Coordinates of all heavy atoms in Angstrom, one line a residue:
M1 N 2.3 0.2 27.0 CA 3.4 -0.1 26.2 C 4.7 0.4 26.9 O 4.6 1.5 27.5 CB 3.3 0.7 24.8 CG 4.5 0.4 23.9 SD 4.4 1.4 22.4 CE 5.8 2.4 22.7
A2 N 5.7 -0.4 26.9 CA 6.9 -0.1 27.6 C 8.1 -0.6 26.8 O 8.0 -1.5 26.0 CB 6.9 -0.7 29.0
I3 N 9.2 0.1 27.0 CA 10.5 -0.3 26.3 C 11.3 -0.9 27.4 O 11.6 -0.3 28.5 CB 11.2 0.9 25.7 CG1 10.3 1.6 24.7 CG2 12.5 0.4 25.1 CD1 10.9 2.9 24.2
Y4 N 11.7 -2.2 27.2 CA 12.6 -2.9 28.2 C 14.0 -3.0 27.7 O 14.3 -3.5 26.6 CB 12.0 -4.3 28.3 CG 10.7 -4.4 29.1 CD1 9.5 -4.1 28.4 CD2 10.7 -4.7 30.4 CE1 8.3 -4.1 29.0 CE2 9.4 -4.8 31.1 CZ 8.3 -4.5 30.4 OH 7.1 -4.5 31.0
P5 N 14.9 -2.4 28.4 CA 16.3 -2.4 28.0 C 17.0 -3.8 28.1 O 16.6 -4.6 28.9 CB 17.0 -1.4 29.0 CG 16.0 -1.1 30.0 CD 14.7 -1.7 29.7
G6 N 17.9 -4.0 27.2 CA 18.6 -5.2 27.1 C 19.4 -5.6 28.4 O 19.8 -6.7 28.6
D7 N 19.8 -4.6 29.2 CA 20.6 -4.8 30.4 C 19.7 -5.2 31.6 O 20.2 -5.2 32.7 CB 21.5 -3.6 30.7 CG 20.7 -2.4 31.1 OD1 19.4 -2.4 31.2 OD2 21.3 -1.3 31.3
N8 N 18.4 -5.4 31.3 CA 17.4 -5.7 32.4 C 17.2 -4.7 33.5 O 16.7 -5.0 34.5 CB 17.8 -7.1 33.0 CG 17.7 -8.2 32.0 OD1 16.7 -8.2 31.2 ND2 18.6 -9.1 32.0
S9 N 17.6 -3.4 33.2 CA 17.3 -2.4 34.1 C 15.8 -2.0 33.9 O 15.1 -2.6 33.1 CB 18.2 -1.1 33.8 OG 18.0 -0.7 32.5
D10 N 15.3 -1.1 34.7 CA 13.9 -0.7 34.7 C 13.4 -0.3 33.3 O 14.1 0.5 32.6 CB 13.6 0.4 35.7 CG 13.8 0.0 37.2 OD1 13.6 -1.3 37.4 OD2 14.1 0.8 38.0
P11 N 12.2 -0.7 33.0 CA 11.7 -0.3 31.7 C 11.2 1.1 31.7 O 11.0 1.7 32.8 CB 10.5 -1.3 31.5 CG 10.1 -1.6 32.8 CD 11.3 -1.7 33.7
L12 N 11.0 1.7 30.5 CA 10.4 3.0 30.4 C 9.0 2.8 29.9 O 8.7 2.3 28.8 CB 11.2 3.8 29.4 CG 10.6 5.2 29.1 CD1 10.5 6.1 30.3 CD2 11.4 5.9 28.0
V13 N 8.0 3.0 30.8 CA 6.6 2.9 30.4 C 6.1 4.1 29.7 O 6.3 5.2 30.2 CB 5.7 2.6 31.7 CG1 4.3 2.4 31.3 CG2 6.2 1.4 32.4
L14 N 5.6 4.0 28.5 CA 5.1 5.1 27.7 C 3.6 5.3 27.6 O 3.1 6.4 27.5 CB 5.7 4.9 26.3 CG 7.2 4.9 26.1 CD1 7.6 4.5 24.7 CD2 7.8 6.2 26.5
V15 N 2.9 4.1 27.7 CA 1.4 4.2 27.7 C 0.9 3.2 28.7 O 1.4 2.1 28.8 CB 0.9 3.8 26.3 CG1 -0.6 3.7 26.2 CG2 1.5 4.7 25.2
K16 N -0.1 3.6 29.5 CA -0.7 2.8 30.5 C -2.2 3.0 30.5 O -2.7 4.1 30.5 CB -0.1 3.1 31.9 CG -0.5 2.1 32.9 CD 0.2 2.3 34.2 CE -0.1 1.2 35.2 NZ 0.7 1.4 36.4
G17 N -2.9 1.9 30.4 CA -4.4 2.0 30.3 C -4.9 2.8 29.2 O -5.9 3.4 29.2
G18 N -4.2 2.7 28.1 CA -4.6 3.4 26.9 C -4.2 4.9 26.8 O -4.5 5.6 25.9
E19 N -3.6 5.4 27.9 CA -3.2 6.8 28.0 C -1.7 7.0 28.0 O -1.0 6.3 28.7 CB -3.8 7.4 29.3 CG -5.3 7.4 29.3 CD -6.0 8.3 28.3 OE1 -5.4 9.4 28.0 OE2 -7.1 8.0 27.9
P20 N -1.2 8.0 27.2 CA 0.2 8.2 27.2 C 0.7 8.8 28.6 O -0.1 9.5 29.2 CB 0.4 9.3 26.1 CG -0.9 9.9 25.9 CD -1.9 8.9 26.3
L21 N 1.8 8.4 29.1 CA 2.4 8.9 30.3 C 3.3 10.0 30.0 O 4.5 9.8 29.5 CB 3.1 7.8 31.1 CG 2.2 6.6 31.5 CD1 3.0 5.5 32.2 CD2 1.1 7.1 32.4
L22 N 2.8 11.2 30.1 CA 3.6 12.4 29.7 C 4.0 13.2 31.0 O 3.3 13.2 32.0 CB 2.7 13.3 28.8 CG 2.3 12.6 27.5 CD1 1.4 13.5 26.8 CD2 3.5 12.3 26.7
P23 N 5.1 13.9 31.0 CA 6.0 13.9 29.9 C 6.9 12.7 29.8 O 7.1 12.0 30.8 CB 6.9 15.1 30.2 CG 6.9 15.2 31.7 CD 5.5 14.7 32.1
V24 N 7.4 12.4 28.6 CA 8.3 11.2 28.5 C 9.7 11.6 29.0 O 10.2 12.7 28.8 CB 8.4 10.8 27.0 CG1 9.5 9.8 26.7 CG2 7.1 10.4 26.4
D25 N 10.3 10.6 29.7 CA 11.6 10.8 30.2 C 12.6 10.6 29.1 O 13.0 9.5 28.8 CB 11.9 9.8 31.4 CG 13.2 10.0 32.0 OD1 14.1 10.7 31.5 OD2 13.4 9.4 33.1
E26 N 12.9 11.7 28.4 CA 13.7 11.7 27.2 C 15.1 11.2 27.5 O 15.7 10.5 26.7 CB 13.8 13.1 26.6 CG 12.5 13.6 26.1 CD 12.2 13.4 24.7 OE1 13.1 13.0 23.9 OE2 11.0 13.6 24.3
A27 N 15.7 11.5 28.7 CA 17.0 11.0 29.0 C 17.0 9.5 29.2 O 17.9 8.9 28.7 CB 17.5 11.7 30.3
R28 N 16.0 9.0 29.8 CA 15.9 7.5 30.0 C 15.7 6.9 28.6 O 16.3 5.8 28.4 CB 14.8 7.2 31.0 CG 14.6 5.7 31.2 CD 15.8 5.1 31.9 NE 15.6 3.7 32.1 CZ 16.5 2.8 31.9 NH1 17.7 3.1 31.6 NH2 16.2 1.5 32.2
A29 N 14.8 7.4 27.8 CA 14.6 6.9 26.5 C 15.9 6.8 25.7 O 16.2 5.8 25.1 CB 13.6 7.7 25.7
S30 N 16.7 7.9 25.8 CA 18.0 7.9 25.1 C 18.9 6.8 25.6 O 19.6 6.2 24.8 CB 18.6 9.3 25.2 OG 19.8 9.4 24.6
E31 N 19.0 6.6 26.9 CA 19.8 5.6 27.5 C 19.5 4.2 26.9 O 20.3 3.4 26.6 CB 19.7 5.5 29.0 CG 20.3 6.7 29.8 CD 19.9 6.6 31.2 OE1 19.3 5.6 31.7 OE2 20.2 7.6 31.9
I32 N 18.2 4.0 26.9 CA 17.7 2.6 26.4 C 18.0 2.5 24.9 O 18.4 1.4 24.5 CB 16.2 2.5 26.7 CG1 15.9 2.4 28.2 CG2 15.6 1.2 26.1 CD1 14.5 2.5 28.6
L33 N 17.7 3.5 24.1 CA 17.9 3.4 22.7 C 19.3 3.3 22.3 O 19.6 2.8 21.2 CB 17.2 4.6 22.0 CG 15.7 4.6 22.2 CD1 15.1 5.9 21.6 CD2 15.0 3.4 21.5
K34 N 20.3 3.6 23.1 CA 21.7 3.5 22.8 C 22.2 2.0 23.0 O 23.2 1.7 22.6 CB 22.5 4.4 23.7 CG 22.4 5.8 23.3 CD 23.2 6.7 24.2 CE 23.0 8.2 23.9 NZ 23.7 9.1 24.8
Q35 N 21.4 1.2 23.7 CA 21.8 -0.2 24.0 C 21.6 -1.0 22.7 O 20.8 -0.7 21.9 CB 20.9 -0.7 25.1 CG 21.2 0.0 26.5 CD 20.5 -0.7 27.6 OE1 20.1 -1.9 27.5 NE2 20.3 0.1 28.7
E36 N 22.4 -2.1 22.7 CA 22.3 -3.0 21.5 C 21.0 -3.7 21.4 O 20.5 -3.9 20.3 CB 23.5 -4.0 21.6 CG 23.6 -4.8 20.4 CD 24.8 -5.7 20.4 OE1 25.8 -5.3 20.9 OE2 24.7 -6.8 19.8
D37 N 20.4 -4.1 22.5 CA 19.2 -4.8 22.5 C 18.1 -4.2 23.4 O 18.5 -3.6 24.4 CB 19.4 -6.3 23.0 CG 20.3 -7.1 22.1 OD1 20.0 -7.1 20.9 OD2 21.2 -7.7 22.6
M38 N 16.9 -4.3 23.0 CA 15.8 -3.8 23.8 C 14.5 -4.6 23.3 O 14.5 -5.2 22.3 CB 15.6 -2.3 23.6 CG 15.0 -1.9 22.3 SD 14.7 -0.2 22.2 CE 15.6 0.2 20.7
R39 N 13.5 -4.6 24.2 CA 12.2 -5.2 23.9 C 11.2 -4.1 24.0 O 11.3 -3.2 24.9 CB 11.9 -6.3 24.8 CG 12.7 -7.5 24.7 CD 12.3 -8.6 25.6 NE 12.4 -8.1 27.0 CZ 11.5 -8.3 28.0 NH1 10.4 -8.9 27.7 NH2 11.7 -7.9 29.2
V40 N 10.2 -4.1 23.1 CA 9.0 -3.3 23.2 C 7.8 -4.2 23.5 O 7.6 -5.1 22.7 CB 8.8 -2.5 21.9 CG1 7.5 -1.6 22.0 CG2 10.0 -1.6 21.6
R41 N 7.2 -3.9 24.6 CA 6.0 -4.8 25.0 C 4.8 -3.9 24.9 O 4.7 -2.9 25.5 CB 6.3 -5.3 26.3 CG 5.2 -6.3 26.8 CD 5.5 -6.9 28.1 NE 4.5 -7.9 28.4 CZ 4.7 -9.0 28.9 NH1 5.9 -9.4 29.2 NH2 3.7 -9.8 29.2
V42 N 3.8 -4.5 24.2 CA 2.5 -3.8 24.1 C 1.4 -4.8 24.6 O 1.3 -5.9 24.2 CB 2.1 -3.5 22.6 CG1 0.8 -2.9 22.5 CG2 3.2 -2.6 22.0
E43 N 0.7 -4.4 25.7 CA -0.3 -5.2 26.3 C -1.7 -4.6 25.9 O -2.0 -3.5 26.4 CB -0.1 -5.3 27.8 CG 1.2 -6.0 28.1 CD 1.3 -6.2 29.6 OE1 0.3 -6.1 30.4 OE2 2.5 -6.5 30.0
L44 N -2.4 -5.3 25.1 CA -3.7 -4.8 24.7 C -4.9 -5.1 25.7 O -5.9 -4.5 25.6 CB -4.1 -5.3 23.3 CG -3.1 -4.9 22.2 CD1 -3.4 -5.6 20.9 CD2 -3.0 -3.4 22.1
G45 N -4.6 -6.1 26.5 CA -5.7 -6.5 27.4 C -6.8 -7.3 26.8 O -7.9 -7.2 27.2
L46 N -6.5 -7.9 25.6 CA -7.5 -8.6 24.9 C -7.4 -10.1 24.9 O -8.1 -10.8 24.1 CB -7.5 -8.1 23.4 CG -7.8 -6.6 23.2 CD1 -7.6 -6.2 21.8 CD2 -9.2 -6.3 23.7
G47 N -6.6 -10.7 25.7 CA -6.4 -12.1 25.8 C -5.0 -12.5 26.2 O -4.2 -11.6 26.5
S48 N -4.7 -13.8 26.0 CA -3.4 -14.2 26.4 C -2.5 -14.5 25.2 O -1.4 -15.1 25.4 CB -3.6 -15.5 27.3 OG -4.2 -16.5 26.5
E49 N -2.9 -14.2 24.0 CA -2.1 -14.5 22.9 C -0.9 -13.6 22.9 O -0.9 -12.5 23.5 CB -2.9 -14.3 21.6 CG -4.0 -15.3 21.4 CD -5.2 -14.9 22.1 OE1 -5.3 -13.8 22.7 OE2 -6.1 -15.7 22.2
E50 N 0.2 -14.0 22.2 CA 1.4 -13.2 22.0 C 2.0 -13.4 20.7 O 1.8 -14.4 20.0 CB 2.4 -13.4 23.2 CG 3.0 -14.7 23.2 CD 4.0 -14.8 24.4 OE1 3.6 -14.6 25.5 OE2 5.2 -15.1 24.1
A51 N 2.8 -12.4 20.3 CA 3.5 -12.5 19.0 C 4.8 -11.9 19.2 O 5.0 -11.1 20.1 CB 2.7 -11.8 17.9
R52 N 5.8 -12.3 18.4 CA 7.1 -11.7 18.4 C 7.5 -11.2 17.0 O 7.1 -11.8 16.0 CB 8.2 -12.8 18.8 CG 8.0 -13.2 20.2 CD 9.1 -14.2 20.6 NE 8.8 -14.7 21.9 CZ 9.6 -14.6 22.9 NH1 10.8 -14.0 22.7 NH2 9.3 -15.0 24.1
M53 N 8.2 -10.1 17.0 CA 8.7 -9.6 15.8 C 10.2 -9.2 16.0 O 10.5 -8.6 17.1 CB 7.9 -8.3 15.5 CG 8.4 -7.7 14.2 SD 7.4 -6.2 13.8 CE 8.3 -5.0 14.8
Y54 N 11.0 -9.6 15.1 CA 12.4 -9.2 15.2 C 12.7 -8.2 14.1 O 12.2 -8.3 13.0 CB 13.3 -10.5 15.0 CG 13.1 -11.5 16.0 CD1 12.1 -12.5 15.9 CD2 13.8 -11.4 17.2 CE1 11.9 -13.4 16.9 CE2 13.6 -12.4 18.2 CZ 12.7 -13.4 18.1 OH 12.5 -14.3 19.1
T55 N 13.6 -7.3 14.4 CA 14.0 -6.2 13.5 C 15.5 -6.2 13.4 O 16.2 -6.9 14.1 CB 13.4 -4.8 13.9 OG1 14.1 -4.5 15.2 CG2 11.9 -4.9 14.1
C56 N 16.0 -5.3 12.6 CA 17.4 -5.1 12.5 C 17.8 -3.6 12.6 O 16.9 -2.8 12.7 CB 17.9 -5.7 11.1 SG 17.2 -4.8 9.7
D57 N 19.0 -3.4 12.7 CA 19.5 -2.0 12.8 C 19.0 -1.2 11.6 O 18.9 -1.7 10.5 CB 21.0 -1.9 12.7 CG 21.6 -2.5 14.0 OD1 20.9 -2.6 15.0 OD2 22.8 -2.8 14.0
L58 N 18.7 0.1 11.8 CA 18.3 1.0 10.7 C 19.5 1.8 10.3 O 20.3 2.2 11.2 CB 17.2 1.9 11.2 CG 15.9 1.1 11.7 CD1 14.9 2.1 12.3 CD2 15.3 0.4 10.6
S59 N 19.6 2.2 9.1 CA 20.8 2.9 8.6 C 20.7 4.4 9.2 O 19.6 4.9 9.6 CB 20.8 3.0 7.1 OG 19.7 3.9 6.6
H60 N 21.8 5.0 9.2 CA 21.9 6.4 9.7 C 21.0 7.3 8.9 O 20.3 8.2 9.4 CB 23.4 6.9 9.7 CG 23.5 8.3 10.2 ND1 23.3 8.7 11.5 CD2 23.8 9.4 9.5 CE1 23.5 10.0 11.5 NE2 23.8 10.5 10.3
D61 N 21.1 7.1 7.6 CA 20.2 8.0 6.7 C 18.8 7.8 7.0 O 18.0 8.8 7.0 CB 20.5 7.7 5.2 CG 21.9 8.2 4.8 OD1 22.5 9.1 5.5 OD2 22.4 7.7 3.8
Y62 N 18.3 6.6 7.2 CA 16.9 6.3 7.4 C 16.5 7.0 8.7 O 15.5 7.7 8.8 CB 16.7 4.8 7.5 CG 15.2 4.5 7.9 CD1 14.3 4.3 6.8 CD2 14.8 4.3 9.2 CE1 13.0 4.0 7.1 CE2 13.5 4.0 9.5 CZ 12.6 3.8 8.4 OH 11.3 3.6 8.7
V63 N 17.3 6.9 9.8 CA 17.0 7.5 11.0 C 17.0 9.0 10.9 O 16.1 9.7 11.4 CB 17.9 7.0 12.1 CG1 17.7 7.8 13.4 CG2 17.8 5.5 12.4
S64 N 18.0 9.6 10.2 CA 18.1 11.0 10.0 C 16.9 11.6 9.3 O 16.3 12.6 9.7 CB 19.3 11.4 9.3 OG 20.5 11.1 10.0
I65 N 16.5 11.0 8.2 CA 15.3 11.4 7.5 C 14.0 11.4 8.3 O 13.3 12.3 8.4 CB 15.1 10.6 6.2 CG1 16.2 10.9 5.2 CG2 13.8 10.8 5.6 CD1 16.3 9.9 4.1
N66 N 13.8 10.3 9.0 CA 12.6 10.1 9.8 C 12.6 11.0 11.1 O 11.6 11.3 11.7 CB 12.3 8.7 10.1 CG 11.8 8.0 8.9 OD1 10.7 8.2 8.5 ND2 12.6 7.2 8.2
A67 N 13.8 11.4 11.6 CA 13.9 12.3 12.7 C 13.3 13.6 12.4 O 12.8 14.3 13.4 CB 15.3 12.4 13.2
D68 N 13.2 14.0 11.2 CA 12.6 15.3 10.8 C 11.1 15.3 11.1 O 10.5 16.4 11.3 CB 12.8 15.6 9.3 CG 14.3 15.9 9.0 OD1 15.0 16.2 9.9 OD2 14.7 15.7 7.9
Y69 N 10.5 14.1 11.2 CA 9.0 14.1 11.5 C 8.7 14.2 13.0 O 7.6 14.4 13.3 CB 8.5 12.7 11.0 CG 8.5 12.6 9.5 CD1 9.4 11.6 8.9 CD2 7.8 13.3 8.7 CE1 9.5 11.5 7.6 CE2 7.8 13.2 7.3 CZ 8.7 12.3 6.8 OH 8.8 12.1 5.4
R70 N 9.7 14.1 13.8 CA 9.5 14.2 15.3 C 9.1 15.6 15.6 O 9.6 16.6 15.2 CB 10.8 13.8 16.0 CG 10.6 13.7 17.5 CD 11.9 13.2 18.1 NE 11.7 12.9 19.5 CZ 11.6 13.8 20.4 NH1 11.7 15.0 20.1 NH2 11.5 13.4 21.7
S71 N 8.0 15.7 16.5 CA 7.6 17.0 16.9 C 7.8 17.2 18.3 O 8.1 16.4 19.1 CB 6.1 17.2 16.6 OG 5.4 16.2 17.2

């Protein structure tokens, strides 16, 4: 799984071969998440099918509440 920034700079790979790539580059993640657009790509290795999902901005309150769950 990787996050691809909207500016086409290098993606941030978070999971490879089913294993998390730790430690996560928090600074890079922050840079990407500040951009207006990004793509999240998940490759399961189970075939050639693909699906797309579109989302919208989340409210500040929603993000603040859910940030409390981050460990």
Side-chain angles (χ1 to χ4, degrees):
M1 181 184 111
I3 302 172
Y4 290 79
D7 66 3
N8 295 319
S9 60
D10 291 334
L12 175 62
V13 180
L14 300 170
V15 177
K16 188 170 185 176
E19 298 291 327
L21 296 179
L22 300 174
V24 172
D25 184 344
E26 299 265 346
R28 179 67 178 136
S30 180
E31 289 173 8
I32 294 171
L33 294 172
K34 287 178 184 175
Q35 295 185 22
E36 186 172 330
D37 295 310
M38 70 177 130
R39 292 181 299 134
V40 176
R41 184 175 181 138
V42 178
E43 294 185 20
L44 301 175
L46 299 174
S48 60
E49 293 81 7
E50 66 179 58
R52 290 179 186 243
M53 179 180 81
Y54 296 92
T55 65
C56 62
D57 291 339
L58 302 173
S59 72
H60 177 69
D61 289 337
Y62 179 88
V63 172
S64 295
I65 290 167
N66 284 287
D68 291 338
Y69 295 111
R70 188 174 187 286
S71 57

